[in-house]
């Protein structure tokens, strides 16, 4: 996973690898490749146009009007729509079951093992953050496992303080989602905004990028995300027990629909 603090190509790059220490030579080689990759990604961020607008998603907020998301009522149901989605109620801090067509950008959803992703999701957290296994045969017909990773960054000041005390602590604030205590969401509510590039073609996938801009005074990290933090619509979670994702685009606006 590569995370950049700040938005310029000269920003500090932090990379945390799950490669065992005995494979140090391989790790050095991979680091060089991924360092080059992140610099390219950072150049792509912000290169948008009227034909390729960025998706701007408020974090933990459903401020997008209903007509801006979802699909027309007459649209035929997708193959996996019957699964439903576990969506965070941001007022009660509980998980609620909703139809895929009712999801909006900015929703936070929980997907469990063998479940399909109900929209394009930004990977926020997982039961095993360094090893998130997905299967993308809906895109490429390849049933092989792909390993994604949660970005090691902090959405809130409390997250950052927890990581100083314990480097292994990751997204402590996200661990409180769905616990039934609305006060637990205060630090996360409007913590910042995610800006993501839409995918127009399958060849764009490995160039996909997004960035998180913390709100003033929020205390979180400015961070960039690559395609290993993108959970594409209709792909499936395997092996990993659960993931949390932020809805970026849904139904007809999703990467799956746009790329065919």
């Amino acid at each position: 996973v590569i995370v950049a603090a700040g938005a310029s190509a000269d920003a500090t790059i932090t990379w945390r690898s799950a490669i065992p220490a005995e494979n140090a030579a391989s790790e050095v080689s991979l680091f060089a490749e991924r360092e080059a990759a992140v610099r390219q990604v950072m150049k792509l961020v912000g290169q948008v146009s009227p034909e390729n607008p960025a998706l701007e998603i408020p974090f933990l907020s459903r401020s997008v009007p209903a007509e801006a998301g979802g699909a027309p009522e007459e649209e035929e149901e997708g193959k996996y729509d019957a699964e439903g989605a576990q969506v965070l109620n941001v007022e009660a801090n509980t998980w609620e079951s909703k139809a895929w067509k009712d999801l909006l950008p900015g929703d936070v959803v929980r997907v469990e093992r063998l479940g399909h992703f109900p929209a394009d999701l930004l990977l926020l957290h997982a039961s095993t953050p360094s090893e998130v296994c997905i299967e993308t045969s809906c895109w490429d017909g390849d049933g092989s496992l792909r390993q994604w990773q949660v970005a090691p960054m902090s959405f809130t000041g409390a997250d950052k303080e927890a990581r100083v005390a314990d480097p292994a602590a990751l997204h402590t604030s996200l661990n409180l989602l769905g616990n039934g205590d609305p006060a637990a969401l205060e630090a996360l509510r409007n913590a910042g905004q995610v800006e993501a590039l839409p995918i127009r073609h399958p060849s764009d996938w490995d160039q996909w990028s997004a960035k998180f801009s913390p709100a003033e005074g929020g205390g979180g990290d400015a961070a960039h995300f690559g395609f290993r933090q993108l959970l594409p619509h209709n792909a499936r979670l395997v092996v990993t027990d659960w993931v949390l994702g932020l809805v970026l685009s849904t139904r007809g606006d999703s990467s799956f629909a746009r790329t065919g």
Side-chain angles (χ1 to χ4, degrees):
V1 174
I2 304 171
V3 176
S8 73
D10 296 323
T12 301
I13 295 174
T14 301
W15 178 59
R16 295 193 174 190
S17 171
I19 298 175
E22 57 267 24
N23 294 339
S26 298
E27 184 168 1
V28 170
S29 176
L30 283 173
F31 177 79
E33 294 176 4
R34 296 184 185 189
E35 184 181 52
V38 77
R39 291 187 181 275
Q40 179 62 27
V41 166
M42 292 167 72
K43 291 178 182 178
L44 289 170
V45 171
Q47 291 184 2
V48 297
S49 67
E51 294 75 27
N52 191 45
L55 307 170
E56 296 182 355
I57 312 296
F59 188 71
L60 234 159
S61 172
R62 284 190 60 149
S63 61
V64 180
E67 60 269 24
E73 290 185 5
E74 64 271 14
E75 181 177 336
E76 183 180 350
E77 284 196 355
K79 183 176 180 179
Y80 306 114
D81 286 26
E83 291 183 12
Q86 293 299 306
V87 184
L88 184 70
N89 180 321
V90 297
E91 301 300 328
N93 194 15
T94 56
W95 296 109
E96 298 180 348
S97 181
K98 290 189 176 182
W100 285 21
K101 66 182 180 63
D102 294 330
L103 294 178
L104 290 177
D107 279 336
V108 175
V109 302
R110 177 186 171 103
V111 178
E112 299 187 348
R113 184 166 55 90
L114 300 184
H116 293 82
F117 304 127
D120 286 338
L121 306 176
L122 174 65
L123 175 59
L124 300 176
H125 200 13
S127 54
T128 52
S130 64
E131 296 181 352
V132 176
C133 294
I134 72 170
E135 180 264 313
T136 60
S137 61
C138 64
W139 276 57
D140 50 22
D142 185 354
S144 303
L145 300 187
R146 300 179 183 271
Q147 184 173 308
W148 271 206
Q149 290 182 317
V150 174
M153 46 80 66
S154 301
F155 286 108
T156 69
D159 286 349
K160 192 177 296 184
E161 292 174 4
R163 290 184 64 201
V164 171
D166 178 8
L170 184 63
H171 298 326
T172 54
S173 58
L174 295 182
N175 288 329
L176 303 177
L177 296 186
N179 72 356
D181 179 11
L185 298 182
E186 288 307 311
L188 281 168
R189 201 179 303 278
N190 297 317
Q193 180 170 278
V194 170
E195 183 177 327
L197 293 179
I199 294 179
R200 304 294 182 184
H201 189 273
S203 62
D204 295 340
W205 191 9
D206 62 354
Q207 297 180 349
W208 179 86
S209 63
K211 63 180 179 180
F212 174 72
S213 301
E216 185 176 354
D221 295 329
H224 285 76
F225 306 92
F227 73 94
R228 292 190 187 279
Q229 285 84 51
L230 171 66
L231 303 177
H233 183 207
N234 278 347
R236 184 172 63 138
L237 183 68
V238 291
V239 182
T240 306
D241 287 339
W242 56 265
V243 296
L244 301 180
L246 179 72
V247 174
L248 299 175
S249 53
T250 64
R251 304 290 289 196
D253 290 326
S254 72
S255 55
F256 184 78
R258 289 183 180 275
T259 62

